Amino acid sequence: MSSCSSSNNDTMSSTANSFGTDLEFLKKHQQTLVLTAPDDDSAQVALVGALQGRVMTSTANGTSGNSYGWLNYKLLESGKFTPHMSAFGGEDRFWIGPEGGQFSIYFQQGKKFVFDDWQVPTVIDSEPFDLVSSDKTKAVFRKAASLINYSGTKFDVVIDRSVEALSKIAIETTINFPLKDVKTVAYETVNSITNQGPDWNKETGLLSIWILGMFNPTPQTTVVVPFVGGADHKSKINDSYFGKVPAERLIVEDSVLYFKADGKHRSKIGLPPSIAKPVMGSYDSEKGVLTIITYDLDPTGDYVNSMWEIQKEPFKGDAANSYNDGPVEDGTQMGPFYELESSSPAKALKKGETLTHRSRTYHFEGDKMALNAVARRMLGVSLEEIAKH
């Protein structure tokens, strides 16, 4: 999530809707593609090419099942784009970093790092991606774009993005666990940027791929982020994006953190690549939904810094983030939703070279013992441990 956003507090959202209700609404307002798992028609993924090939929502249980992605009903219904950012929602959207600093693509040269001057580039906010191909399980999108950063560097790129619904067999193989009493939906997005212009270099700025997912919060939803333990590793976790996160909302243990995702207090955390692990997730004990995100990670890579300031270390940013929405100073709120986010490292691409970032989103529901086994396997903690935080 950006470092500053607000909207009217009467914004309708999809927090309590079924997938069928959300899908019917989406089809009224956007041309919507529905992918299904090759071996399970009840595992469905809804995406919109006009919104940058964005995964809007998904379900493990067909039209009557839970809808996992947060949708901004009011904005989608309006059909309009809004200043600064058009927050339509969706559980996997394609963005590009960095957000702040001298190499930002969200602030024009000479502008101040304040919300009034912040603008999401149109290519990742209001322009459609072209649908290259699609079938029952997969859709492929492409977009050519030019971007100019705060330092005046121009980037000519081609963006390629694919979304593929995964089979239950593929999911079981990945997690090495049979899902006998569990309903699941999972999809992979493969996201690439190819340099079409002059060679890039760190002195004038680089780009990274940034994947963000907006999900529906409940009072019983907790984000879980495992990390590499170590003597000083806790101190590397950034919880100061919007002022320090209150202690009761962020519990940091030796190698895992728990972050409250109730959509009631605006806060954000980030982990650098040196301590991040290529997995994070959340558990909603109210609905019994376990969500897991896995993503490409380079522990020694250069990750862009998105803090809103001229930076001493523009390539010492986060690889993984989570945002919890909440009211801003004037009492308005965009959501409620929470986000799970991952980024690629930035690379000095020569002309014709490509940077790729893969992200997988899994949702699990069903037998609690089986869900507990999945949580332990993928996050290293039990559902009981998550729920008590």
Side-chain angles (χ1 to χ4, degrees):
M1 189 62 217
S2 74
S3 299
C4 246
S5 304
S6 65
S7 184
N8 294 328
N9 56 8
D10 61 351
T11 298
M12 292 176 60
S13 69
S14 59
T15 305
N17 287 345
S18 69
F19 179 77
T21 301
D22 278 353
L23 183 60
E24 185 180 357
F25 175 83
L26 278 172
K27 286 182 173 179
K28 281 182 183 175
H29 301 287
Q30 295 284 347
Q31 190 169 345
T32 306
L33 272 172
V34 179
L35 307 180
T36 56
D39 54 358
D40 182 2
D41 285 345
S42 62
Q44 300 182 31
V45 183
L47 48 149
V48 173
L51 300 179
Q52 304 83 49
R54 185 180 319 209
V55 176
M56 300 304 295
T57 189
S58 64
T59 188
N61 283 297
T63 54
S64 63
N66 284 316
S67 186
Y68 303 123
W70 177 79
L71 306 181
N72 189 332
Y73 263 46
K74 186 177 180 180
L75 189 57
L76 286 161
E77 196 167 31
S78 76
K80 296 176 181 176
F81 301 105
T82 52
H84 307 297
M85 171 191 179
S86 302
F88 291 107
E91 60 172 279
D92 184 303
R93 76 177 186 272
F94 178 94
W95 265 19
I96 298 172
E99 185 182 349
Q102 56 268 45
F103 303 138
S104 169
I105 57 168
Y106 296 72
F107 291 92
Q108 292 181 11
Q109 194 167 26
K111 297 287 188 178
K112 295 178 181 178
F113 292 110
V114 295
F115 181 66
D116 284 348
D117 289 341
W118 176 75
Q119 177 62 53
V120 180
T122 56
V123 66
I124 52 174
D125 185 68
S126 56
E127 294 182 17
F129 281 15
D130 300 321
L131 179 64
V132 176
S133 64
S134 67
D135 57 26
K136 179 187 174 185
T137 63
K138 185 176 182 179
V140 178
F141 301 92
R142 173 168 280 198
K143 180 71 176 180
S146 292
L147 298 157
I148 298 176
N149 73 10
Y150 186 88
S151 297
T153 305
K154 185 181 179 186
F155 300 90
D156 294 311
V157 299
V158 169
I159 299 163
D160 288 289
R161 173 171 163 86
S162 67
V163 183
E164 183 173 9
L166 305 177
S167 69
K168 193 167 187 178
I169 293 171
I171 298 166
E172 290 178 328
T173 302
T174 299
I175 67 174
N176 194 24
F177 185 78
L179 297 171
K180 183 182 175 186
D181 300 312
V182 175
K183 293 290 289 182
T184 184
V185 62
Y187 56 87
E188 178 180 71
T189 67
V190 181
N191 307 276
S192 299
I193 297 176
T194 301
N195 178 16
Q196 299 289 91
D199 296 354
W200 301 353
N201 63 77
K202 291 176 78 169
E203 288 68 37
T204 55
L206 305 175
L207 302 178
S208 68
I209 296 166
W210 187 5
I211 302 299
L212 308 92
M214 291 175 163
F215 302 97
N216 293 312
T218 71
Q220 280 73 46
T221 301
T222 302
V223 165
V224 185
V225 187
F227 61 90
V228 178
D232 64 338
H233 285 191
K234 288 184 184 180
S235 65
K236 295 180 180 179
I237 295 165
N238 183 356
D239 69 341
S240 301
Y241 282 90
F242 306 112
K244 198 162 180 64
V245 181
E248 70 274 11
R249 290 186 159 270
L250 176 61
I251 310 297
V252 182
E253 298 184 350
D254 289 340
S255 57
V256 63
L257 67 80
Y258 302 94
F259 180 48
K260 192 77 171 169
D262 58 0
K264 294 180 178 179
H265 182 88
R266 191 162 172 264
S267 47
K268 182 176 177 176
I269 58 167
L271 286 79
S274 60
I275 67 165
K277 291 186 175 182
V279 63
M280 55 186 152
S282 64
Y283 179 57
D284 174 358
S285 60
E286 182 179 304
K287 292 182 178 179
V289 176
L290 177 66
T291 295
I292 305 285
I293 307 287
T294 63
Y295 60 96
D296 290 348
L297 175 69
D298 179 358
T300 61
D302 291 318
Y303 283 76
V304 298
N305 185 343
S306 281
M307 298 297 282
W308 287 20
E309 60 192 17
I310 298 298
Q311 301 156 357
K312 291 180 181 177
E313 296 184 302
F315 299 103
K316 294 290 184 183
D318 295 327
N321 295 93
S322 181
Y323 171 82
N324 184 50
D325 191 44
V328 294
E329 288 179 8
D330 64 2
T332 62
Q333 183 170 355
M334 185 183 294
F337 57 84
Y338 70 96
E339 285 185 318
L340 297 170
E341 314 171 11
S342 70
S343 292
S344 75
K347 293 188 177 175
L349 299 181
K350 292 181 166 53
K351 185 171 184 177
E353 289 186 338
T354 300
L355 171 66
T356 299
H357 185 64
R358 293 173 177 83
S359 176
R360 283 188 172 193
T361 301
Y362 303 81
H363 300 288
F364 302 95
E365 291 187 61
D367 178 76
K368 197 166 182 180
M369 285 183 64
L371 283 185
N372 189 58
V374 175
R376 281 187 172 278
R377 189 170 291 267
M378 300 193 78
L379 297 173
V381 293
S382 68
L383 296 184
E384 185 181 3
E385 288 172 296
I386 300 170
K388 73 183 182 185
H389 291 92

